[in-house]
Amino acid sequence: MTITSTMTASTSNIPRGPVEVELNFFEPPTDGGQPIQYAEEPPAGEPAANYHRPVIQVTLTDIRGQESQYNLDDHAFQCLPGALSGIPDEIFLSDDQIKATFYPKVEQLLLDHVEGAHRVVIFHHAVRMDRHNSPTHCKPLLAVHADQTAQASAAYVRSHIPDPTDAAALLGGRYRIINVWKPLNGPVESSPLAFASGNSVDASDCFPIELRLASYTSETVGVRYNPGQKWMYWSGMENEDSLLLKCSDSKHDVPFQVPHSAFADPRSPPGAKPRESIEVRALVFG
Ligand code: OGA
Ligand code: FE
C-alpha cells in the first residue's frame, strides 16, 4: 500500500500518452539554392542557415508498452528497456570517463542487439546537460533532422578506419550509423525526443544540408513535413533505457533513417527537470 502510493507520487510529473506538439520542420531555400548551415558562428553578413523551419503541429503516439513492436530494419529505431543498467551517474560528467567506461558498454550493447553486427566503431558523443564539465555540452535540439546523409556516412567510415584496404572492404559490406540515446536524469519530464518511424518517411522529404564546421564540412539532413509521417515518443524514459536511432544504412531496401527532434511538452509541470541525455554515435558493420 505504502509502496504503491510512493511510486504514484514519484512518477506523477511524467507526461504520458498521446500529445499534440509543435515541431520545427525543414523547407528548402526558396531560391532553389543548396541548403547551408553553420555549426558555429557564421561569417559576417551571412545567416547561420539559409533555409526555413516552419513550425507544424503533429500528434505524437506514446509507444510505452509497445516497445517490442519496433525494430531497426522495419522502423529505423529500436527500444532497449533497461538494457543499460549499473552505470554510475558521475561518469557522465567527464568526457574521458564516458570514453573509458560508457563506450565499451555501448559497443557491447550494439553487438548484442543489432542483428548481423560484427564490428562497432564509436566516433562521437554529445552530452545534453547544463552542468557538464566539458565545454562541448549542448541542449536538447528542437529541429527535425536526421544526422547524416549516405555520403557523409561513407566519409565517416573512411576517416575512422585508418587502413584504406580495411575501409574499402568495410564499405563493400553493410554499414550503418546508429545513435544510442539515453537520459541522464530520467525519468524524462521535459523536452522528450520525438521520432518518425522510418517506414513512414518518404525519401523525397529528406534534403541534404551542407554543414559547415570550423575545421571541416559534413552533410546533415533536413526533413520536410508530410502528413504520412508517423510521429511518436517513448514517455518517461529512465536512465537504464536506451533508444537506438538509425541515421544511415548502406542497405537500401529497408527504411534507412529515423528523423527526430526534441519537443517542448505542453504537459511538463512547472519546475520539471530540464532533460539531460547522452547520445553516442557509432559505425556498425555487418
Ligand atoms: C540525436 C539528437 C537531440 C536531442 O541524438 O541525434 O539529435 O535533443 N538528439 O537529444
Ligand atoms: Fe540527431
Side-chain angles (χ1 to χ4, degrees):
M1 197 62 182
T2 322
I3 292 171
T4 310
S5 56
T6 309
M7 282 180 64
T8 309
S10 67
T11 56
S12 61
N13 277 356
I14 303 158
R16 296 193 188 276
V19 62
E20 198 164 304
V21 303
E22 292 184 335
L23 296 181
N24 302 303
F25 282 86
F26 170 91
E27 277 290 343
T30 39
D31 64 4
Q34 153 84 27
I36 294 170
Q37 181 178 326
Y38 288 93
E40 287 110 30
E41 202 57 30
E46 279 195 52
N50 67 345
Y51 55 85
H52 307 282
R53 284 236 164 260
V55 179
I56 297 173
Q57 293 230 325
V58 297
T59 301
L60 308 181
T61 314
D62 181 4
I63 61 163
R64 180 152 297 276
Q66 276 121 46
E67 292 88 344
S68 62
Q69 288 183 15
Y70 300 96
N71 66 72
L72 288 172
D73 270 353
D74 295 322
H75 309 96
F77 75 93
Q78 194 162 318
C79 302
L80 298 176
L84 280 172
S85 58
I87 306 168
D89 290 342
E90 320 80 72
I91 70 136
F92 295 104
L93 293 170
S94 143
D95 283 329
D96 287 343
Q97 286 196 51
I98 289 170
K99 287 180 187 163
T101 311
F102 190 51
Y103 276 22
K105 297 228 181 245
V106 169
E107 181 179 345
Q108 196 56 51
L109 184 87
L110 290 166
L111 290 169
D112 288 348
H113 293 276
V114 179
E115 219 179 295
H118 59 76
R119 183 163 166 190
V120 170
V121 176
I122 295 175
F123 64 93
H124 185 253
H125 71 266
V127 173
R128 300 183 190 271
M129 177 197 267
D130 278 343
R131 64 193 165 95
H132 194 251
N133 295 342
S134 103
T136 58
H137 70 255
C138 46
K139 292 184 184 309
L141 179 58
L142 295 157
V144 176
H145 70 283
D147 291 13
Q148 298 93 9
T149 60
Q151 201 183 316
S153 306
Y156 277 116
V157 174
R158 284 188 211 99
S159 60
H160 291 276
I161 304 292
D163 176 44
T165 315
D166 196 12
L170 289 168
L171 283 166
R174 186 180 190 186
Y175 58 95
R176 290 171 262 191
I177 291 183
I178 298 177
N179 293 1
V180 177
W181 189 103
K182 81 172 210 82
L184 296 176
N185 65 344
V188 173
E189 295 179 356
S190 67
S191 311
L193 193 74
F195 39 91
S197 180
N199 59 344
S200 71
V201 177
D202 195 315
S204 66
D205 292 317
C206 301
F207 295 81
I209 302 174
E210 190 178 311
L211 183 62
R212 296 187 180 168
L213 297 102
S215 52
Y216 67 103
T217 295
S218 185
E219 260 185 0
T220 182
V221 179
V223 181
R224 181 168 62 190
Y225 175 70
N226 183 321
Q229 292 164 0
K230 289 199 175 71
W231 283 92
M232 39 191 84
Y233 76 113
W234 184 11
S235 72
M237 279 184 77
E238 303 271 357
N239 291 352
E240 295 73 23
D241 297 334
S242 51
L243 191 55
L244 307 188
L245 301 167
K246 187 170 68 170
C247 291
S248 78
D249 193 339
S250 64
K251 186 168 154 63
H252 274 304
D253 56 350
V254 293
F256 58 89
Q257 61 187 191
V258 63
H260 52 276
S261 171
F263 63 96
D265 194 323
R267 304 161 302 175
S268 294
K273 297 178 283 192
R275 179 254 287 178
E276 298 177 344
S277 61
I278 183 167
E279 72 235 28
V280 172
R281 300 190 157 77
L283 293 163
V284 179
F285 297 100

